Amino acid sequence: MTRRRFVIVGGGVTGASAASTLRGEGFDGEILLVGDEPDLPYERPPLSKEWLARTEPPLVVYPEDWYADNAVELLTGTRVTALDRSEREVTLSGGATLGFDALLIATGGQARRLPGLSDVCEDRVHHLRTRADSDALRSRLTPGERLVVLGGGFVGCEVAATARKLGVEVTILEMAAAPLERALGTELGGLFAGIHRAAGVDLRCGERVESVARTGDGLVVHTDRGALECSTLLVAAGLVRDTEMWAAAGVPCADGVLVDAGCRTGVPGVFAAGDVVAHDHPRYGRLRVEHHDSAVRQGAVAARNMLGAGAEFDEPHWFWSDQYDHTLQSYGGVGEPDLDETVIRGRPEEGSFVRFGLSAGRVVSVLGLNRRAEVMAGRRLVLSGHPVPAEQLRDESVDLRRLLRRPARA
Ligand SMILES: Cc1cc2nc3c(=O)[nH]c(=O)nc-3n(C[C@H](O)[C@H](O)[C@H](O)COP(=O)(O)OP(=O)(O)OC[C@H]3O[C@@H](n4cnc5c(N)ncnc54)[C@H](O)[C@@H]3O)c2cc1C
């Protein structure tokens, strides 16, 4: 009997998590992990934080030995260019084909490029998705340089914070009324606006970039309110999922590869997970999520199902963001249904609080700023499903861990 072969396309955390889960579950067939970047699979979150500031070395998911020790064949610098679902094979950038018994699509996404802006000047207009992008941007972040960040989402805000720490003059241009508004809402976005302004960022909300032009030694950014000179522009305008090739092969896609709760695409033997998917979450419905923890967990679920298990990714989504000395953490806040009540514990105006979302007397989401231990306790409260009285959550003298021990009575 020939050994089964599983091919994983995409050398990010999703692909690495799937490979590790396959071996952990005892799969003894071939595993090929095909990635178009030159590096071993690595962690992307530091690219806008510690790695951009060069305070920490690059973080590989597993060291090189791990792949040999676990018989995972890593094809770096290799792109999958086509899928033939009926022949069950993919074509590689060199032209070779690779047959598979099961395929995992874990190709993440790319930084969105804006025509007319992104292509004005290659060495001064930057995007951030890969280690190479982070290295290129880092070379521009020297004290006194002027950086304009187009987009006040997580990546834009994190880069702004790192750049300020490096002594760079920073302007953020955000079309919405506050940074992070889409992810966190206006109130919390306003809190982050205050944090960035206090750190010296020129934060301009409700301002739209219209064009960018080169000058002798820099760039001029024209907005609907005027012109602004800078040495470097970061276009931080979100993620694009590149699904054309998969759709052309008959894999259902709609701004992401469509998968069910178990990361199955509907094409027999073809799975997808991580940033590239539009996942049908059992609690929240169809979601496109770009968070590290979800990518790792979905990679593991897909791997189990490649082996024929009946696994589902049904957990609430978890993410964090580090900006300056602040850490934001959220569990269950993505795709959250309507809440009956939100409870604040602590002092948002002082940058230290936890916000609990309650539905039918139970905690369904927790979000905290600089309250790691309480967010962790809140996460366990969400998982426990215990009814918890709002006044106990609000009361800072109540140890949240106590609420975990027994269902509290309202
Ligand atoms: C700068 C930055 C900071 C972040 N910070 C945080 C954070 O603080 N907290 C958090 O929760 N999340 C954060 N994230 C999000 C998190 O990193 C992602 O959710 C996670 O990396 C997704 O992993 P993935 O493996 O699905 O996709 P990716 O990491 O994008 O990996 C996919 C890989 O597949 C490769 N690929 C694509 N197409 C092909 C092809 N045809 N053939 C071969 N290879 C291909 C890509 O080049 C890439 O290497 C951050 C992301 C970025 C970019």
Side-chain angles (χ1 to χ4, degrees), residues 172-179 193 197 203-208 225:
I172 299 178
L173 298 172
E174 167 55 53
M175 280 194 312
R197 288 192 173 119
L203 170 65
R204 304 185 186 186
C205 295
E207 190 159 343
R208 177 188 288 273
R225 298 202 195 148

Side-chain angles (χ1 to χ4, degrees), residues 91-311:
T91 306
L92 306 182
S93 34
T97 55
L98 205 55
F100 60 79
D101 295 289
L103 179 78
L104 175 62
I105 300 169
T107 47
Q110 297 163 8
R112 185 183 305 280
R113 284 171 154 69
L114 303 177
L117 302 181
S118 291
D119 41 13
V120 165
C121 172
E122 201 179 294
D123 51 330
R124 293 193 179 273
V125 180
H126 291 252
H127 303 82
L128 181 54
R129 183 70 192 175
T130 64
R131 181 181 160 180
D133 294 339
S134 183
D135 288 345
L137 180 60
R138 175 66 179 79
S139 69
R140 311 288 316 178
L141 301 185
T142 50
E145 288 293 306
R146 293 195 61 84
L147 170 72
V148 170
V149 178
L150 187 167
F154 283 115
V155 169
C157 284
E158 289 176 1
V159 169
T162 304
R164 285 301 297 144
K165 283 190 191 168
L166 294 170
V168 175
E169 299 300 317
V170 181
T171 300
I172 299 178
L173 298 172
E174 167 55 53
M175 280 194 312
L180 301 171
E181 192 186 56
R182 196 168 58 95
L184 303 178
T186 311
E187 212 171 312
L188 253 177
L191 201 147
F192 273 90
I195 289 174
H196 283 281
R197 288 192 173 119
V201 171
D202 173 17
L203 170 65
R204 304 185 186 186
C205 295
E207 190 159 343
R208 177 188 288 273
V209 175
E210 291 181 337
S211 65
V212 177
R214 281 189 86 133
T215 60
D217 57 353
L219 297 168
V220 57
V221 179
H222 295 279
T223 75
D224 53 358
R225 298 202 195 148
L228 174 72
E229 290 194 3
C230 64
S231 45
T232 305
L233 172 70
L234 172 70
V235 177
L239 179 94
V240 175
R241 297 173 178 81
D242 187 0
T243 55
E244 215 175 301
M245 168 175 47
W246 311 117
V251 179
C253 296
D255 186 17
V257 179
L258 292 170
V259 291
D260 68 7
C263 297
R264 300 175 197 86
T265 64
V267 175
V270 179
F271 300 78
D275 279 14
V276 74
V277 300
H279 173 256
D280 194 6
H281 194 285
R283 293 195 206 182
Y284 310 121
R286 182 78 61 198
L287 282 179
R288 293 162 186 82
V289 171
E290 297 146 30
H291 298 311
H292 183 276
D293 180 74
S294 312
V296 172
R297 288 179 195 274
Q298 287 182 0
V301 164
R304 289 194 188 100
N305 289 339
M306 288 164 93
L307 295 169

